[in-house]
Amino acid sequence: MQLNLLDRIGDWNPQLFREIKGRLNVRNIAITVVTSLLGQLLLFMSWLSKQPIYPSYRQDELYCRLRDTYLSYQQENNQLQHQYRELQTQFSRYSGKEHFDLEKLERVKGSIAEVKEKISHVQALLQENICPPDAIDYQLWWQDHYPKIFASLSQFVLFILLGIGTYMLISNLAQEERRGTLNFIRLSPQSPLSILSGKLLGVPILLYLAAVLTVPFQVVLGLAAHISLVEIFSFYAVLIAICACFYSAALLFGLVTSWLGGFQSWLGAGAALFFLWIANFKPIEQNPFDWLNLFSPSVVLPYLVNRTGSRYTGFPFSHEMIQNWTWFNLPIGATGFSLVLFALLNYGLWTGWIWQALNRRFHNPNATILSKQQSYWLVACFEVAILGFVVQGQTENYKFWNSLNGLWFFNVLLLFGLIAVLSPHRQTLLDWARYRRERRSQRQGFWNRSVVQDLIWGEKSPAVVAMVINLAIAATFIVPWIVLVPTESINKIQILFGVAFFFSLMIIYATIAQLMLLMKTNKRSLWTAGTIGALVVLPPMTLALLGVQPSENAMLFLFSTFPWAAIEYTATTTTIMALLGEWSALVLLNLQLTRQVQRAGESASKALFAKRPSLPS
């Protein structure tokens, strides 16, 4: 039976069969089973240790049945103490010379003695504050803690699956690369989908087994916490979807960072856990950063444990105000079903994009991760996804600025990523330039038209035009929101100037990156990253060290990485002149890039006759 099953798996996916055969043995299975069961036992014991225990449990605590009586005694003691202080005040009054009254004084003394006797009786009762064993409501304690144990186990499984699974996949690809077997796998007739899905399913298979062993315990906890099976399995659906997304990203990370060596698996797993930690504990704040919360399955847990609307005290996640969560004013947080559906759509969208990159990169390690055409669609999807969390009907100024800062942050990450992804390296540009010259000699009448097509769609041409198009797509979504959002006392003209400066800087960075990738050194990628990083960090750092403020010397800030900090302190004419200055620098950089590419397209013999060296390939 086992051999027949393995044979069927081998026929369906040989790569999955290879991974399973190398991992599923008696020793590994036994270790996995023991580790999973032991982990569940330790988790349960940690919660069990918090159970009320005689004689350390007091009567004023929540799960003592005598709590109400004890609290009533405390209230009575407070009242008697207040009454005693008032009687002392009366005694002082009537014993003085001005208001001396013997009859009232005797009456007050009698009342004081009576109150003191009552206080002594109540305090004697309060001193016996240990809750008897038969008065501890263990049933109520379990009823309140079953949801917390369920949520803790869910979080435990989540972090283990995503953290260790990501490490295993990246480490496996690194080992295949070192051994040289990855190139052998690339030569097999299997499709990238078959090979990589085999790794995705097979490499963490022992981890899957450990997770499956937690299902019975989790179902029992869920049912005891009055969580239906449909709700429990909706969490599993979200967990499976996020694992598919993270594991696909891990495969892509492993393919594109082979130059990191053994460090790449630690870096990838650490980044995944750090990202998950942020998504897990970040509250819902109704700004673009709410998008991060979707990447943690814990957003479903508040609906399962029936604690929406509260601050989830004691739960291992933080998604306050989740019921007010909207996307383009659609109430995605109104019900658990709507949130699960939206989360699955989000994971499916980005998993699909990751697999587009995996299909391109697997068989051709030198290819760009995405084509230019794919990048245009990616930017459009990204802007729609982010803008949905911005358009939430909020017109307060501080929320507008928070949303604008969120848009800026995510677009910086996206656009710098696209510069790295779309910019071809030296040899690719040399091949394209020489191919272009050959085509020009054959089709001179179509040169202008064909080169534009290549710059827009071609995968080996410089990426500057593609970055301009991507920035235009982003502006198509961002600018209308800035113009149309109803806000008070905000100068939108200055904000639009800031957007223009931001886009100009991004095009300048893209051009500089493309120029540096034409260098002859083998470390051109490192040099490019370092140069762009320096251009981003050094100008504002230098101004900060010199103590220059935007209000004092706005012109310097207009030509720095953060020009929008000085726009409000400059006249419109000055701002336009600074923007034209950046565009002039951009034109000069692109003329230099064009000259370099044209020289790259020249044949070696023509360069020799012209008495200048050609660009060696």
Side-chain angles (χ1 to χ4, degrees), residues 47 50-54 56-71 129-149 307 313-315:
W47 280 99
K50 300 177 182 180
Q51 193 178 32
I53 300 175
Y54 176 85
S56 61
Y57 204 66
R58 301 189 305 273
Q59 291 186 18
D60 60 341
E61 297 192 61
L62 180 62
Y63 300 104
C64 183
R65 295 189 181 95
L66 303 178
R67 182 171 184 265
D68 292 340
T69 304
Y70 187 85
L71 293 178
N129 66 341
I130 297 175
C131 187
D134 57 349
I136 299 176
D137 194 343
Y138 290 102
Q139 183 178 358
L140 180 61
W141 187 90
W142 281 110
Q143 182 180 340
D144 288 348
H145 283 74
Y146 277 133
K148 298 181 181 182
I149 302 173
R307 292 295 295 265
T313 303
F315 285 89

Side-chain angles (χ1 to χ4, degrees), residues 516-573:
M516 298 202 67
L517 288 174
L518 273 169
M519 294 191 306
K520 301 176 183 179
T521 176
N522 292 329
K523 302 292 184 180
R524 63 180 71 92
S525 297
L526 188 61
W527 278 102
T528 302
T531 302
I532 299 299
L535 289 174
V536 172
V537 173
L538 288 182
M541 183 181 294
T542 303
L543 292 173
L545 291 174
L546 294 175
V548 180
Q549 299 296 325
S551 57
E552 299 172 354
N553 199 327
M555 185 60 68
L556 288 177
F557 274 87
L558 288 178
F559 290 100
S560 72
T561 314
F562 301 102
W564 41 84
I567 291 176
E568 61 178 309
Y569 302 107
T570 57
T572 302
T573 305

Side-chain angles (χ1 to χ4, degrees), residues 43-107:
L43 179 68
F44 181 73
M45 294 298 292
S46 68
W47 280 99
L48 192 61
S49 65
K50 300 177 182 180
Q51 193 178 32
I53 300 175
Y54 176 85
S56 61
Y57 204 66
R58 301 189 305 273
Q59 291 186 18
D60 60 341
E61 297 192 61
L62 180 62
Y63 300 104
C64 183
R65 295 189 181 95
L66 303 178
R67 182 171 184 265
D68 292 340
T69 304
Y70 187 85
L71 293 178
S72 67
Y73 287 149
Q74 282 186 334
Q75 185 178 4
E76 183 181 356
N77 180 61
N78 293 335
Q79 292 173 351
L80 289 171
Q81 292 287 353
H82 178 69
Q83 186 179 355
Y84 179 77
R85 287 192 294 270
E86 288 183 346
L87 289 172
Q88 288 286 357
T89 303
Q90 293 178 18
F91 182 83
S92 299
R93 177 183 176 85
Y94 297 133
S95 61
K97 293 181 179 180
E98 184 178 356
H99 301 284
F100 182 80
D101 189 328
L102 184 59
E103 182 181 351
K104 290 182 179 180
L105 191 61
E106 291 296 330
R107 192 184 310 136

Side-chain angles (χ1 to χ4, degrees), residues 582-600:
E582 283 199 356
W583 289 351
S584 300
L586 180 61
V587 169
L588 293 176
L589 286 170
N590 277 277
L591 287 174
Q592 177 64 18
L593 177 61
T594 302
R595 189 178 300 112
Q596 291 283 349
V597 172
Q598 287 176 346
R599 286 187 60 192

Side-chain angles (χ1 to χ4, degrees), residues 80 83-84 87 110-120:
L80 289 171
Q83 186 179 355
Y84 179 77
L87 289 172
S111 298
I112 289 175
E114 183 180 349
V115 169
K116 286 179 68 175
E117 184 179 354
K118 291 181 179 179
I119 289 175
S120 299

